[in-house]
Amino acid sequence: MRWLEIDLETFAVRQSGFSEHAAHGRAIFHSGSLGHAVRIEDIKDAEYAQLVVVDAAARTIAFGRDYLGHYPLTYGCTAQTLIISDSYSYVHSALCARGVSLTISEEALALFFTMGFVPHGRSVYREIVNCEATGYYLWKNRSVGRVNLFEPIAISASDSISAIGDAIEAEVDRYARQSDQIDIWCSGGLDSSIMAMRFNAKPRQADIITLAYGHAIHEQYGDGERRFARTVAQAAQTHMRDVDLSPQQFDRMHTMFAETHNGPVMDFPLPPKYSLAQATRDLAITGEAGDTFFGGTKNASIMYAHHKQPDASLGRLYAVAHNRYFKHLKEIFKRGEQLETFAVEHVDKLVQAYPGDLQRKLFYLNSHEKLGSMIFAQSYFPSQVFGIRVRHPIASLGVYKASFSVPDHRKFSYPFSKIALIELYRDQLPPVIVQRKKSGTQLPLGHYLKHFNPEKFDFSPLREAGFFQDAFLDKVSAPDACETVPPLLLYACTTLNHWLKHKERHHVDSIPA
């Protein structure tokens, strides 16, 4: 855990976990790759890093996370102290210790049920902010503002995808040199399979690890993704290890996730990420960002819907395309109608903030909002818990720039997705992987819910929030909820509820002396 507390009168700093140096009269606190930093703008070219610049002479404090948002950063502020940490729980506790009364944001909860996560730039509590990427924050004149560093990428006239392949190979080579104990988190999907094959290209060697759900689940529901991962392991001529995700393990990992994460997340592969991290030897490699940089699942839905309804709000189309519970906000919340309007307006602003035609906007939006808000945190917090590193070669700045330099139709043209990746790596992959339809991580979620600790269905924190319809809470807390409520909705409620319950358990004595 990393944290700083900065006195806003004296600019004295107490901190733990950050490296420190001075430059041009400023105190520089950094993590990761920013040991060279001399100014806050250096985060624009950084990866896997956080940066805080304290300028006592100018009476300013600037802070932020790397451009794509691999490493999270959270802050809260009182009249006397600015608190910055990679641990949301630390900021929460530090504010409470200073007498700050934290208030749950109804709008943040509406976005959770709309998008499946709370977008960065806000958090579940109004007084705490999970920092956005592609920019930095500046404390000055007793308030905090955000400076946007986003710049669009020009499309190259060459129409070649070779630069994408070069960028990916450079990342593979970089990380292959960093450890002799590399594990590929492999689902047998296209992106993780590419990583598995490339990290096992001679003389490189890496294990594949994949999920195993326990005998009872495999007997009832089949082998899941293991058969695809096994095919990749055979093609790569490497060892495959199973990672336990039995119902009991899923319950334990769900608890750990809800008690360490910087926000509730409806994405149910999160507990598996904790199990994968627990089983990782040193360095984990994922294929994440293939969807956002090269894919088109939501893009296809939105483009089609926009074609059929050209006058419809893009915010509404994007909210519906998430396939979460935007259509049920009126059923879930007492102020559901107002929150539906808020969610549409919020997402519409996100869409409009990015340049280009609709398809270009969607590529930018998914790459910056989803990665920084949700996907990278899914790796960061498990890595911190279990003391490993997780890296995403496809999600590097170099690959990001190369992918956006290519015309969008070279990556996605309905109904074909990840066109560039398939063109680059088709001949290196087993045909069944190339031909496999995208499915996302498949889990018997309903089965897992039936084995949750019963206390997770005590929805007192949600009732006490005062925002939810009584009939809705009665439905999800009923004895037969596992049979009558859609599994993802019930999982969303148990996750949000446990996250709130955990955050409310913090005490003053959790703050370091």
Side-chain angles (χ1 to χ4, degrees):
M1 179 175 70
R2 303 183 181 99
W3 58 267
L4 299 99
E5 295 185 7
I6 306 166
D7 186 293
L8 297 177
E9 289 298 334
T10 66
F11 290 87
V13 177
R14 296 172 57 243
Q15 69 99 4
S16 176
F18 286 91
S19 299
E20 179 180 357
H21 63 274
H24 307 302
R26 308 181 189 109
I28 312 290
F29 302 89
H30 72 273
S31 68
S33 60
L34 280 168
H36 66 284
V38 298
R39 57 178 190 157
I40 190 62
E41 289 82 3
D42 290 329
I43 63 171
K44 186 174 181 181
D45 298 312
E47 294 181 290
Y48 304 98
Q50 302 137 330
L51 184 63
V52 181
V53 178
V54 179
D55 191 333
R59 300 189 64 80
T60 63
I61 304 164
F63 54 98
R65 54 201 293 223
D66 57 276
Y67 188 74
L68 291 178
H70 290 90
Y71 277 10
L73 200 62
T74 299
Y75 82 89
C77 195
T78 72
Q80 295 79 33
T81 311
L82 177 62
I83 303 150
I84 304 170
S85 179
D86 64 344
S87 167
Y88 187 96
S89 296
Y90 184 91
V91 176
H92 184 287
S93 297
L95 290 175
C96 290
R98 288 161 175 80
V100 175
S101 179
L102 299 180
T103 53
I104 296 174
S105 166
E106 188 179 21
E107 293 81 7
L109 300 189
L111 292 175
F112 167 74
F113 281 99
T114 296
M115 302 173 73
F117 56 92
V118 178
H120 56 191
R122 61 178 65 231
S123 83
V124 170
Y125 291 97
R126 298 186 187 281
E127 295 77 14
I128 303 175
V129 174
N130 288 322
C131 299
E132 292 183 67
T134 64
Y136 65 89
Y137 291 77
L138 181 66
W139 183 93
K140 184 178 182 180
N141 297 328
R142 295 286 169 185
S143 65
V144 178
R146 182 175 181 272
V147 179
N148 187 14
L149 295 176
F150 170 78
E151 290 182 356
I153 297 172
I155 296 175
S156 169
S158 70
D159 197 28
S160 170
I161 65 170
S162 61
I164 295 174
D166 292 342
I168 293 174
E169 292 305 308
E171 294 300 308
V172 171
D173 184 64
R174 171 157 67 127
Y175 292 121
R177 297 171 184 269
Q178 292 187 7
S179 177
D180 59 2
Q181 292 186 316
I182 297 177
D183 292 322
I184 313 297
W185 292 359
C186 184
S187 65
L190 181 71
D191 313 318
S192 62
S193 296
I194 290 171
M195 291 296 96
M197 298 303 295
R198 297 311 303 145
F199 275 88
N200 280 288
K202 303 299 182 185
R204 302 175 187 137
Q205 187 68 44
D207 278 9
I208 286 175
I209 58 177
T210 196
L211 300 173
Y213 306 138
H215 176 73
I217 291 179
H218 287 301
E219 189 174 64
Q220 185 173 353
Y221 296 99
D223 214 21
E225 298 170 336
R226 290 169 76 209
R227 60 191 177 96
F228 294 104
R230 189 180 298 112
T231 298
V232 175
Q234 291 169 349
Q237 298 183 333
T238 193
H239 180 58
M240 186 180 90
R241 309 196 320 267
D242 283 338
V243 173
D244 171 42
L245 202 65
S246 61
Q248 294 75 21
Q249 175 76 347
F250 188 94
D251 187 26
R252 285 193 296 270
M253 293 297 106
H254 178 265
T255 298
M256 186 178 294
F257 137 59
E259 295 182 358
T260 58
H261 222 67
N262 64 350
V265 180
M266 198 183 301
D267 192 10
F268 53 82
L270 238 167
K273 293 287 182 67
Y274 280 75
S275 282
L276 288 165
Q278 186 179 40
T280 295
R281 295 172 296 171
D282 176 38
L283 173 60
I285 297 295
T286 83
E288 287 172 322
D291 285 342
T292 51
F293 289 178
F294 300 99
T297 304
K298 291 185 180 65
N299 297 16
S301 300
I302 297 167
M303 297 289 288
Y304 177 77
H306 180 64
H307 175 74
K308 299 293 287 186
Q309 308 172 63
D311 296 327
S313 159
L314 292 178
R316 182 172 294 275
L317 297 181
Y318 192 80
V320 170
H322 270 80
N323 199 27
R324 298 310 188 206
Y325 294 98
F326 170 74
K327 293 182 178 180
H328 299 273
L329 292 182
K330 295 174 187 175
E331 172 193 344
I332 295 171
F333 292 99
K334 294 177 181 177
R335 296 180 60 250
E337 187 171 349
Q338 296 94 319
L339 292 173
E340 182 179 297
T341 300
F342 161 78
V344 168
E345 292 176 349
H346 175 86
V347 178
D348 196 59
K349 288 178 183 177
L350 292 179
V351 177
Q352 300 302 338
Y354 292 101
D357 60 15
L358 179 55
Q359 185 159 308
R360 192 70 167 179
K361 286 177 178 289
L362 293 173
F363 269 115
Y364 276 126
L365 176 59
N366 291 326
S367 295
H368 289 295
E369 299 301 326
K370 189 173 182 181
L371 285 180
S373 294
M374 184 183 73
I375 291 179
F376 289 144
Q378 290 183 3
S379 298
Y380 181 83
F381 291 107
S383 76
Q384 297 300 298
V385 170
F386 294 108
I388 63 166
R389 291 175 296 152
V390 183
R391 294 294 181 262
H392 322 281
I394 295 179
S396 71
L397 267 175
V399 175
Y400 163 76
K401 292 174 181 178
S403 70
F404 277 86
S405 297
V406 169
D408 293 333
H409 72 269
R410 297 299 308 277
K411 299 179 290 184
F412 167 74
S413 180
Y414 183 80
F416 302 106
S417 185
K418 301 184 183 178
I419 299 169
L421 291 181
I422 291 172
E423 185 175 336
L424 286 165
Y425 292 104
R426 177 195 303 272
D427 293 342
Q428 301 177 43
L429 295 167
V432 68
I433 302 301
V434 176
Q435 296 160 9
R436 181 186 177 189
K437 292 183 178 180
K438 177 173 174 55
S439 61
T441 298
Q442 299 298 298
L443 296 177
L445 188 58
H447 186 83
Y448 285 136
L449 288 167
K450 292 175 184 177
H451 289 82
F452 263 12
N453 188 317
E455 72 172 20
K456 290 185 177 178
F457 298 97
D458 172 14
F459 292 110
S460 298
L462 296 190
R463 291 189 187 276
E464 292 165 6
F467 301 139
F468 294 90
Q469 296 275 15
D470 290 335
F472 173 73
L473 291 180
D474 290 343
K475 181 171 71 172
V476 296
S477 60
D480 63 347
C482 287
E483 306 295 340
T484 60
V485 178
L488 183 60
L489 180 57
L490 187 58
Y491 175 81
C493 293
T494 57
T495 299
L496 173 61
N497 188 71
H498 194 83
W499 191 90
L500 288 171
K501 185 182 293 185
H502 173 74
K503 295 298 171 255
E504 292 174 354
R505 286 178 178 169
H506 283 284
H507 302 288
V508 172
D509 61 6
S510 66
I511 299 296

